[in-house]
Amino acid sequence: MTKSALQIERATYKPKVPAALKSNVKAVDGEYTQSVADQDEIKSLFPNTYGLPVVTFEKNNEVKSMPPVNVGVILSGGQAPGGHNVIAGLFDGIKKINKNSRLFGFILGPGGLINHKYKELTADIIDEYRNTGGFDMIGSGRDKLEYPGQFDKGLEILKELEIKALVIIGGDDSNTNACVLAEYYAATNAGVQVIGCPKTIDGDLKNEQIETSFGFDTACKVYSEVIGNIQRDCNSAQKYWHFIKLMGRSASHIALECALQTHPNVCIVSEEVEALDLTLDDVINQIAKTVALRAEQGKNFGTVLIPEGLVEFIPAMKRLIAELNDFLAKNESEFRLIKRSEQRNYIISKLTKENSELYASLPEGVARQLTLDRDPHGNVQVSLIETEKLLAEMVATRLAEWKDAGKYEGKFAAQMHFFGYEGRCAAPSNYDADYCYSLGFTASCLIAAGKTGYMSSVRNTTAPADKWIAGGIPITMMLNMEKRHGHLKPVIQKALVKLDGAPFKEFAANRDTWALTTDYVYSGPIQYFGPTEVCDQPTITLKLEQNKN
Ligand code: FBP
């Protein structure tokens, strides 16, 4: 495999880890825990893994010899920078337990466990992938591990390979499933521990105990670099408004962090749109107003950041999508027989009045995207909806109306962008390289301590790595009951942007200034070599949340 000069140099980077992990460790049990809500129900569903104590790893002077342990690892869901370092940390950790320990990677996600597709991860493979982006060492997938039949099928291969512990690296859903699996294997005395690791660029798997999900740091830095480049281009030519959609299936953490890093003229935060019960029209007016005000100062240029999940947070759009999901599920075959040119009118004629009017007001392209194929759960695939085009087109129409009414004088030309896949496999920043390696190593400590149903946790990460705290959090502690596909299920609470949280407040305090001035910040590319103030900074979100800015 041909390697770039950066790849060759970066392979030698030794991730920084919490001081305790440099020595032998002992597991210190903390307080016994409760789930965040619905305690009685969660307790009855997880009798073997509920209420366990939080664990912290501390230095241990005693050297204990341990037998080798075979471990399996799965990457689940969307790629996030640093996944390979979780696996490298886990590998080094189990080799420290005993040099004869073995690591097996299941191929292309949870499906690899069910279908018995795996490969042994030996030192030469691990070394090839240290500090690299991507999940290509073993691949990832979105199969869900949900049913006892799958758990039993998985157990067959675990038994065959004498695997005593399984590490699932994933987002909120995958870790919920890890928790269910841990309970099932404990209840059936399967002899397999299950440990989760918090992954997702979306940044929405976090809570009191889990400071951040890995990959968020790197992805936001990559997007902010490119947004900065666009802003400099924008300010140089002064002729375009750039509408930039940013990934994040649901929560707006990525858009918010990028706004804090780059100071765009507008950033929409879905959670605020929902809280204020704004309509699509309100959002359009809000952007058009900023365009008009800047035009009054002779500034016919600017940037707008849009979170990927926005349309599902606009209450009226949410209702429209829900009716469309329902209607298309029932009438899919009839709809597909209708000529493409007549599909729009067909839908308009079938929806209830409010939804029909909203659908009719949408630009052609977006209206069509809303009727495209659903995901396996029957939901519209939001990442396929070109919200950046929707907003740019509707803002152009609104400005034209204002121009006719003599309320706006200016020029408006838009450029559209969507940043998502560009950042998901970037080489991890120092933060993610260190955090991920530490998470993986900590997972091996949880295994050695005999724990199951825990998520690997590394805390205090705005401090230098030496002071980070490694431990484990019982996953049941993060569960509550939520309605999914019509049924109440135990799930990890998804962390949306908190409107009373420090990151949003910081943004809200500055956005009016950023709207009218041109206060762009150019964060530049991620730096891997150089002074720690440049290379080791966590996200602004994390610093503000921990009051460290
Ligand atoms: P995870 O939550 O699985 O980490 O995935 C996040 C994400 O990158 C979202 O931001 C995005 O909406 C989605 O994956 C895209 O999915 P896909 O990779 O299947 O196109």
Side-chain angles (χ1 to χ4, degrees), residues 76-80 142 171-172 199-202 204 247-250 254 308 382-383 421 424 494:
S76 179
Q79 286 71 255
R142 290 198 182 277
D172 50 344
K199 169 235 72 166
T200 177
I201 61 161
D202 294 4
D204 56 9
M247 237 184 200
R249 172 83 184 68
S250 201
I254 295 180
E308 180 182 34
V382 279
S383 64
Y421 301 100
R424 292 202 315 185
K494 199 182 263 305

Side-chain angles (χ1 to χ4, degrees), residues 74-77 105-113 115 117-118 135-143:
I74 297 177
L75 289 165
S76 179
F106 289 97
I107 306 297
L108 288 174
L113 177 71
N115 303 318
K117 299 265 184 298
Y118 66 91
F135 279 3
D136 44 327
M137 185 199 292
I138 51 175
S140 183
R142 290 198 182 277
D143 292 306

Side-chain angles (χ1 to χ4, degrees), residues 304-524:
V304 182
L305 303 190
I306 305 153
E308 180 182 34
L310 176 65
V311 289
E312 285 195 318
F313 281 78
I314 298 176
M317 286 293 282
K318 211 173 170 171
R319 288 194 290 274
L320 166 64
I321 291 172
E323 192 180 349
L324 273 173
N325 283 344
D326 230 39
F327 177 78
L328 288 174
K330 289 188 196 124
N331 303 286
E332 179 75 29
S333 38
E334 180 181 316
F335 176 68
R336 297 291 161 215
L337 291 176
I338 293 183
K339 279 217 299 234
R340 201 173 140 164
S341 58
E342 285 160 22
Q343 285 178 347
R344 186 181 163 95
N345 285 337
Y346 168 80
I347 294 282
I348 291 171
S349 73
K350 297 287 180 188
L351 296 177
T352 50
K353 188 167 176 294
E354 184 207 10
N355 288 337
S356 169
E357 280 168 11
L358 178 58
Y359 186 82
S361 76
L362 299 175
E364 182 78 42
V366 173
R368 226 182 74 69
Q369 277 153 16
L370 287 175
T371 62
L372 290 179
D373 286 346
R374 283 7 207 180
D375 73 7
H377 305 291
N379 297 318
V380 69
Q381 300 185 56
V382 279
S383 64
L384 298 183
I385 299 175
E386 294 175 310
T387 328
E388 66 284 18
K389 275 198 187 150
L390 169 76
L391 297 191
E393 283 182 33
M394 294 184 84
V395 166
T397 309
R398 184 61 31 90
L399 290 170
E401 288 161 14
W402 289 356
K403 197 169 241 177
D404 287 347
K407 289 200 255 169
Y408 160 72
E409 271 178 56
K411 289 187 200 134
F412 178 77
Q415 295 286 349
M416 276 73 76
H417 316 265
F418 170 35
F419 298 143
Y421 301 100
E422 294 80 349
R424 292 202 315 185
C425 283
S429 60
N430 278 1
Y431 178 89
D432 272 328
D434 300 346
Y435 183 52
C436 288
Y437 185 87
S438 301
L439 283 172
F441 202 98
T442 303
S444 77
C445 300
L446 287 164
I447 294 168
K451 305 292 179 187
T452 190
Y454 277 74
M455 192 182 292
S456 174
S457 122
V458 174
R459 283 175 290 151
N460 200 29
T461 63
T462 50
D466 230 29
K467 298 199 160 41
W468 292 3
I469 300 161
I473 310 295
I475 305 179
T476 50
M477 193 180 175
M478 305 171 202
L479 297 180
N480 71 158
M481 301 300 289
E482 283 178 28
K483 217 168 195 181
R484 295 283 163 94
H485 313 297
H487 301 285
L488 272 177
K489 291 213 155 167
V491 292
I492 294 178
Q493 266 183 348
K494 199 182 263 305
L496 299 177
V497 168
K498 288 190 178 138
L499 301 183
D500 58 355
F504 181 80
K505 281 187 176 166
E506 172 75 10
F507 162 71
N510 287 290
R511 62 177 151 188
D512 291 346
T513 311
W514 297 345
L516 299 185
T517 59
T518 302
D519 186 36
Y520 302 149
V521 179
Y522 312 113
S523 50

